[in-house]
Amino acid sequence: MDKLLFRRILIAALSVLALIYVVYLLISSNFDMYPTENAIPVTVTDTIYSDGFIIRDETVINNSSSGVLSYSLSDGEAVKASGEIAKIYSSDSDAAAQSKADLLEETVNTLKNLQKSDIGNTMGIDTINNVINNSIISHYRLVNNNDITKIGSNINSLISSINQHQVFTGKIESFDAEIAELESQISTLRNSSGKSIGSVTTPKAGYFSAHCDGYENSIKFSDIDKIKLSDLENVKKSDVSSSVAGKVVNDVEWYIACKVTADEATELNLWDGEATVLFSNASSDTIPASIERVYQESKDSDGLLILKCNYMDSELIDARNEPIEIGLGTYTGLRISKKAIHDDIVTRTTTDENNNKHTEEQKVQGVYVLYGSEMNFKQISILYADSDYVICDTNPESNVLFNGETVSLYDQVIVEGEGMYDGKVIN
């Protein structure tokens, strides 16, 4: 045989053998490969999503007088019984002029107070900047919601904060010229327009709102312990009369009624802590709440949840039907995939009073953790479970763990694999 041909055949055969060997190594190593993920710290809130209907103790205020109303209060502002909520004017122009004069007077008073106070000793530049930023954000929100009744007050707040910034940075030393100009405008507005011809007062004390939506007392506040899910589902809206001038929420306490599933109702009945509520549209702040009542026709039926709140502001006072997020507790621990959880036997050794050692075994729930090339089984204590993962306690009570060992921060938890056992060495 030709030497060159023999050499070629030999090289080809060796190449095939080398390829087979590499494939074998890859296949062998794949059998021993176990995907892992680090146990990382997370904080989650157990949340129920629903649509809430707000029930308040509300008194509708009627106005039988003719004329144009100019409100004296902003939404959410407290008012005493028999307190004025609006002035009555003969025309729109009179109402607009006098309202503008009122706003200018607020600005004058603010400027006078600024000149008297020492801002540098009461607040820092960061605080002032935050107030300016919040006022700008509020202004955009009011414009987007077409809430024109609050825009004037918000602009005054923004101007006041900007003036504070000017004083703090030394760009302005005196507002005397501005005050004189504003007082001149006020005088012109007052003298060129008609004064109020009457006023509207409230029969009860509470928190004022100029807005009525027709759901006032559609579910009576006093019936909160009697209503059923069918009452919520069949609630009716009434027409709002043109004579309605607004309303007063008589009590700082109010309720949220919402539908929950049978499983959620069971969870709520077992929950003995406080809750929180986030209104997705009406407010950006989470507010505290307590579970007042959970009602079900049967254990397998949907339920009615009643939450009690005692927090009120200008955004919430006009809310009625709102998507809500109900928080039932916040949990902090290590996030573990549910696929990583297994049952295995753990042991512990104890010593009696005679110094004799005793070994005990127990099957527990846990995960396999990779240390170098060896896997170890660790028991877990679950604080919270979702559909795909659990949150595990890193420092549970001493009686929770059988042998006192649990998963630790940044452990390499084996997510899946076959033939796993405690102490297995991966080649």
Side-chain angles (χ1 to χ4, degrees), residues 15-36:
S15 298
V16 170
L17 289 174
L19 179 62
I20 293 173
Y21 182 70
V22 169
V23 171
Y24 169 78
L25 289 178
L26 289 173
I27 294 175
S28 299
S29 63
N30 281 337
F31 279 126
D32 285 336
M33 286 178 64
Y34 294 92
T36 63

Side-chain angles (χ1 to χ4, degrees), residues 404-418:
E405 187 177 13
T406 189
V407 65
S408 301
L409 180 64
Y410 300 127
D411 272 350
Q412 293 186 59
V413 178
I414 299 174
V415 179
E416 56 187 346
E418 299 294 334

